[in-house]
Amino acid sequence: MGKTMSEKILARAAGVTEAAAGDILWVNVDKAMMDDILGPRVEIAEKMKEIKDEIWNKEQVVIISDHYTPPASIKQAEIVKFTRDWAAEHGVEHYYESIGPCHQIMVEYGHVLPGKIVLGTDSHTCMGGALGAFATGVGSTEMLGVLVTGKTWLRVPETIQVQWQGQLPDGVMAKDMSLKTIGTIGHAGATYKTVEYNGEAITALSLDERMAITNMAVEMGAKAGLMAPDQKVIEYLQSRNIAGGYELLESDAGASYCATYDFKAGDLLPMVACPHEVDNVREIVNIPGIAIQQAYLGSCTGGRYSDLEAAARILKGRKVKRGVRMLVSPASQDTWIRASRAGILAELAEAGATILAPTCGVCVGLHSGLLADGEVCLSATNRNFVGRMGSKNASIYLGSPMAVAASAITGSITDPREFL
């Protein structure tokens, strides 16, 4: 019987000939990432001193301050300082601050490679699966064990196959593919499973767009979201001066899947996840004209270069409606610079958008754009839970970057195809 990507990657990491779904393996971790919100904590620092141990391999540890940056309170500033100081004290050279959400930085700085095991103290670490890595989130306590030993145990997950065939229509984006998939499988339908995406519509996507899909695999409860690495991944890594040190793995033709879902990209319409669950998904044409007060374009899901470019395409020559706040946070400093040089940020600003620093702050409701009681936001981010972006009495809808831009113009949730 053939093997899935998950089975192959975990077998390699465990040093065994082969593995099957359900096996529990003690694996070597290739990269361990901690962020400022769930990474180095006082408890971890004290525990490491208590056991008198050091990091197993400082080169393989990455620490990123992204949620509380730039700090909006003294408490946030103290947490970032603690994170910064802890990294320096333990000799962690791969420390990054204020340059963007951790998952994007992990990819841009070459810390996510095909065939590798990547663990991070953030549930959306699964985004790394767009490059063919088995990337998944862990808690702070489990990360302590990884820091000291470089190992952890993982149960080999079953795999759900999600096939997207055909070609996306104009005005429909990878985010719509992601929302359609989540709405079909459900918020717990892939619990502790790998969701493997394939098909010609997936292959046609840029790496930017692929990451928008694997990022949200966890919204179905998935342990990992995976895509077979191809020439686009190789070229991306080469652009980052990475020419080797990884393995291109894909599922065998005879691999066993616990479920298969088939979608036709050509039939897909712009989608929206309605409050307060990510799987509460509807076609945007079936959403009545719901007024919004905030439109948000950003985060590790919807703030990459192609997202900003798509939004600018809608907004060029138009204006954000009076009474609507459109906030834009590029996914990284690199994205910010590229979009600035291309004139994209200027186009968004001229339309009335406010350009923010690359940060997680708005997405998770920590700073830079919180919602008040009764306000409604259409966001290109990944979660719309109660209180996610501010008040528990606010409502969050999720849509594509193009839908966010179109809705900012009209002041209500709008099909972006109306502006093409």
Side-chain angles (χ1 to χ4, degrees):
M1 183 179 293
K3 295 296 181 182
T4 64
M5 288 181 68
S6 288
E7 291 168 336
K8 290 182 178 182
I9 295 172
L10 291 175
R12 178 204 65 79
V16 298
T17 304
E18 63 177 47
D23 291 350
I24 295 177
L25 302 176
W26 194 248
V27 301
N28 293 302
V29 176
D30 295 296
K31 287 287 180 178
M33 184 278 293
M34 296 186 288
D35 56 19
D36 53 354
I37 196 168
L38 289 173
R41 314 299 291 170
V42 173
E43 297 84 356
I44 289 179
E46 291 178 347
K47 189 57 136 178
M48 288 191 73
K49 289 179 180 178
E50 178 183 324
I51 62 179
K52 298 180 180 178
D53 224 324
E54 291 293 326
I55 294 174
W56 102 95
N57 187 335
K58 296 172 184 177
E59 181 61 28
Q60 304 309 317
V61 174
V62 182
I63 301 177
I64 303 170
S65 290
D66 57 354
H67 286 68
Y68 294 126
T69 56
S73 67
I74 294 173
K75 182 177 180 180
Q76 290 183 8
E78 288 174 344
I79 290 173
V80 174
K81 181 180 184 300
F82 182 90
T83 306
R84 184 192 309 122
D85 291 347
W86 193 92
E89 179 185 348
H90 288 80
V92 178
E93 294 187 5
H94 298 305
Y95 173 75
Y96 308 96
E97 182 177 321
S98 299
I99 61 171
C102 54
H103 315 301
Q104 184 71 17
I105 301 309
M106 287 290 288
V107 171
E108 288 185 0
Y109 282 77
H111 299 300
V112 178
L113 297 176
K116 302 296 186 180
I117 301 287
V118 180
L119 302 184
T121 56
D122 188 288
S123 59
H124 294 103
T125 299
C126 56
M127 191 188 89
L131 284 79
F134 189 93
T136 191
V138 298
S140 300
T141 303
E142 185 173 354
M143 182 57 74
L144 172 61
V146 174
L147 287 176
V148 173
T149 68
K151 299 175 181 289
T152 194
W153 67 268
L154 290 171
R155 176 163 59 86
V156 181
E158 295 179 295
T159 296
I160 295 174
Q161 183 183 48
V162 173
Q163 299 186 110
W164 278 94
Q165 303 295 347
Q167 182 177 349
L168 285 176
D170 199 13
V172 181
M173 302 184 70
K175 179 64 172 290
D176 299 305
M177 298 170 72
S178 182
L179 292 177
K180 177 67 175 179
T181 302
I182 295 167
T184 302
I185 295 178
H187 73 273
T191 300
Y192 210 103
K193 294 179 173 65
T194 292
V195 177
E196 185 180 314
Y197 306 87
N198 55 42
E200 60 183 345
I202 296 293
T203 303
L205 296 174
S206 67
L207 200 57
D208 265 12
E209 296 169 306
R210 295 178 190 182
M211 288 190 281
I213 294 176
T214 56
N215 178 281
M216 295 185 68
V218 70
E219 307 309 335
M220 297 175 280
K223 189 69 173 175
L226 280 171
M227 295 178 179
D230 58 9
Q231 187 60 33
K232 289 181 181 178
V233 173
I234 295 172
E235 290 173 357
Y236 179 87
L237 293 174
Q238 289 175 339
S239 73
R240 300 283 167 176
N241 298 316
I242 300 170
Y246 55 83
E247 189 174 2
L248 302 176
L249 299 173
E250 61 181 357
S251 293
D252 297 326
S256 177
Y257 298 99
C258 63
T260 296
Y261 294 84
D262 294 299
F263 298 98
K264 294 181 180 179
D267 295 339
L268 185 63
L269 298 177
M271 310 297 292
V272 171
C274 303
H276 296 284
E277 299 289 346
V278 184
D279 62 352
N280 185 14
V281 176
R282 303 177 194 173
E283 295 173 343
I284 203 166
V285 294
N286 294 322
I287 300 291
I290 297 173
I292 64 170
Q293 288 73 49
Q294 182 164 297
Y296 180 55
L297 181 63
S299 87
C300 59
T301 310
R304 278 175 279 276
Y305 184 86
S306 60
D307 300 319
L308 304 181
E309 187 177 43
R313 177 184 170 197
I314 297 289
L315 281 162
K316 187 172 184 178
R318 301 184 174 101
K319 293 290 184 181
V320 172
K321 186 172 182 178
R322 182 179 177 85
V324 175
R325 309 182 300 273
M326 182 172 184
L327 307 178
V328 178
S329 175
S332 69
Q333 185 181 64
D334 180 73
T335 302
W336 206 106
I337 293 170
R338 287 180 61 206
S340 178
R341 288 175 175 168
I344 291 173
L345 295 187
E347 289 182 354
L348 295 173
E350 288 168 3
T354 299
I355 312 300
L356 305 174
T359 177
C360 300
V362 181
C363 173
V364 74
L366 291 170
H367 56 80
S368 301
L370 277 66
L371 299 175
D373 281 5
E375 289 193 316
V376 177
C377 176
L378 179 63
S379 176
T381 57
N382 46 39
R383 285 185 176 156
N384 60 346
F385 304 155
V386 172
R388 172 72 177 182
M389 297 177 72
S391 171
K392 292 182 179 180
N393 296 316
S395 295
I396 306 166
Y397 292 78
L398 304 178
S400 75
M402 293 179 79
V404 169
S407 302
I409 296 169
T410 64
S412 61
I413 296 176
T414 300
D415 189 332
R417 297 173 299 171
E418 294 182 13
F419 292 93
L420 297 177

